[in-house]
mmCIF file of all heavy atoms in Angstrom:
data_model
loop_
_atom_site.group_PDB
_atom_site.id
_atom_site.type_symbol
_atom_site.label_atom_id
_atom_site.label_comp_id
_atom_site.label_asym_id
_atom_site.label_seq_id
_atom_site.Cartn_x
_atom_site.Cartn_y
_atom_site.Cartn_z
ATOM 1 N N LEU A 926 13.249 63.304 -106.108
ATOM 2 C CA LEU A 926 13.398 64.400 -107.067
ATOM 3 C C LEU A 926 13.491 63.858 -108.496
ATOM 4 O O LEU A 926 12.902 64.406 -109.431
ATOM 5 C CB LEU A 926 14.644 65.224 -106.738
ATOM 6 C CG LEU A 926 14.568 66.102 -105.480
ATOM 7 C CD1 LEU A 926 15.943 66.683 -105.153
ATOM 8 C CD2 LEU A 926 13.549 67.228 -105.659
ATOM 9 N N ASN A 929 10.108 62.629 -109.912
ATOM 10 C CA ASN A 929 9.075 63.652 -110.084
ATOM 11 C C ASN A 929 9.119 64.154 -111.531
ATOM 12 O O ASN A 929 10.032 64.866 -111.934
ATOM 13 C CB ASN A 929 9.321 64.809 -109.105
ATOM 14 C CG ASN A 929 8.215 65.841 -109.150
ATOM 15 O OD1 ASN A 929 7.368 65.821 -110.048
ATOM 16 N ND2 ASN A 929 8.219 66.745 -108.191
ATOM 17 N N HIS A 930 8.114 63.774 -112.319
ATOM 18 C CA HIS A 930 8.093 64.136 -113.741
ATOM 19 C C HIS A 930 7.170 65.311 -114.047
ATOM 20 O O HIS A 930 6.831 65.557 -115.203
ATOM 21 C CB HIS A 930 7.671 62.923 -114.583
ATOM 22 C CG HIS A 930 8.564 61.741 -114.399
ATOM 23 N ND1 HIS A 930 9.919 61.778 -114.665
ATOM 24 C CD2 HIS A 930 8.300 60.490 -113.930
ATOM 25 C CE1 HIS A 930 10.456 60.601 -114.405
ATOM 26 N NE2 HIS A 930 9.495 59.794 -113.949
ATOM 27 N N ASP A 931 6.759 66.010 -113.018
ATOM 28 C CA ASP A 931 5.882 67.169 -113.223
ATOM 29 C C ASP A 931 6.666 68.254 -113.972
ATOM 30 O O ASP A 931 7.736 68.678 -113.526
ATOM 31 C CB ASP A 931 5.414 67.676 -111.853
ATOM 32 C CG ASP A 931 4.357 68.769 -111.977
ATOM 33 O OD1 ASP A 931 4.148 69.259 -113.098
ATOM 34 O OD2 ASP A 931 3.746 69.119 -110.954
ATOM 35 N N PRO A 932 6.140 68.749 -115.119
ATOM 36 C CA PRO A 932 6.886 69.764 -115.899
ATOM 37 C C PRO A 932 7.022 71.100 -115.164
ATOM 38 O O PRO A 932 7.949 71.865 -115.437
ATOM 39 C CB PRO A 932 6.049 69.920 -117.172
ATOM 40 C CG PRO A 932 4.683 69.399 -116.819
ATOM 41 C CD PRO A 932 4.883 68.344 -115.780
ATOM 42 N N ASP A 933 6.103 71.400 -114.247
ATOM 43 C CA ASP A 933 6.189 72.656 -113.493
ATOM 44 C C ASP A 933 7.415 72.634 -112.588
ATOM 45 O O ASP A 933 7.638 71.679 -111.839
ATOM 46 C CB ASP A 933 4.927 72.870 -112.655
ATOM 47 C CG ASP A 933 3.704 73.122 -113.531
ATOM 48 O OD1 ASP A 933 3.893 73.556 -114.675
ATOM 49 O OD2 ASP A 933 2.580 72.871 -113.060
ATOM 50 N N GLY A 934 8.163 73.703 -112.614
ATOM 51 C CA GLY A 934 9.322 73.833 -111.732
ATOM 52 C C GLY A 934 10.463 72.900 -112.080
ATOM 53 O O GLY A 934 11.289 72.574 -111.218
ATOM 54 N N MET A 935 10.543 72.469 -113.356
ATOM 55 C CA MET A 935 11.552 71.482 -113.757
ATOM 56 C C MET A 935 12.970 72.037 -113.588
ATOM 57 O O MET A 935 13.876 71.353 -113.114
ATOM 58 C CB MET A 935 11.314 71.045 -115.204
ATOM 59 C CG MET A 935 12.238 69.902 -115.647
ATOM 60 S SD MET A 935 11.933 69.431 -117.355
ATOM 61 C CE MET A 935 10.319 68.692 -117.213
ATOM 62 N N GLN A 936 13.126 73.304 -113.962
ATOM 63 C CA GLN A 936 14.464 73.904 -113.896
ATOM 64 C C GLN A 936 14.951 73.984 -112.445
ATOM 65 O O GLN A 936 16.094 73.635 -112.133
ATOM 66 C CB GLN A 936 14.405 75.317 -114.496
ATOM 67 C CG GLN A 936 15.654 75.644 -115.290
ATOM 68 C CD GLN A 936 15.485 76.944 -116.074
ATOM 69 O OE1 GLN A 936 14.460 77.608 -115.979
ATOM 70 N NE2 GLN A 936 16.484 77.304 -116.843
ATOM 71 N N GLU A 937 14.026 74.419 -111.587
ATOM 72 C CA GLU A 937 14.380 74.540 -110.164
ATOM 73 C C GLU A 937 14.697 73.162 -109.574
ATOM 74 O O GLU A 937 15.635 73.009 -108.788
ATOM 75 C CB GLU A 937 13.194 75.169 -109.405
ATOM 76 C CG GLU A 937 13.483 75.416 -107.933
ATOM 77 C CD GLU A 937 12.256 75.967 -107.211
ATOM 78 O OE1 GLU A 937 11.320 76.431 -107.895
ATOM 79 O OE2 GLU A 937 12.247 75.907 -105.969
ATOM 80 N N ARG A 938 13.916 72.154 -109.990
ATOM 81 C CA ARG A 938 14.127 70.798 -109.475
ATOM 82 C C ARG A 938 15.469 70.239 -109.954
ATOM 83 O O ARG A 938 16.177 69.565 -109.220
ATOM 84 C CB ARG A 938 12.972 69.890 -109.907
ATOM 85 C CG ARG A 938 12.951 68.539 -109.198
ATOM 86 C CD ARG A 938 11.637 67.810 -109.374
ATOM 87 N NE ARG A 938 11.305 67.560 -110.764
ATOM 88 C CZ ARG A 938 10.383 68.186 -111.454
ATOM 89 N NH1 ARG A 938 9.677 69.164 -110.883
ATOM 90 N NH2 ARG A 938 10.134 67.888 -112.725
ATOM 91 N N PHE A 939 15.821 70.537 -111.204
ATOM 92 C CA PHE A 939 17.096 70.062 -111.749
ATOM 93 C C PHE A 939 18.266 70.670 -110.973
ATOM 94 O O PHE A 939 19.233 69.975 -110.638
ATOM 95 C CB PHE A 939 17.192 70.421 -113.236
ATOM 96 C CG PHE A 939 18.415 69.890 -113.910
ATOM 97 C CD1 PHE A 939 18.552 68.527 -114.152
ATOM 98 C CD2 PHE A 939 19.437 70.751 -114.298
ATOM 99 C CE1 PHE A 939 19.698 68.033 -114.769
ATOM 100 C CE2 PHE A 939 20.579 70.267 -114.918
ATOM 101 C CZ PHE A 939 20.708 68.902 -115.162
#
Side-chain angles (χ1 to χ4, degrees):
L926 289 171
N929 185 348
H930 302 301
D931 187 349
D933 292 337
M935 186 180 291
Q936 218 170 3
E937 183 183 344
R938 192 166 59 253
F939 184 71

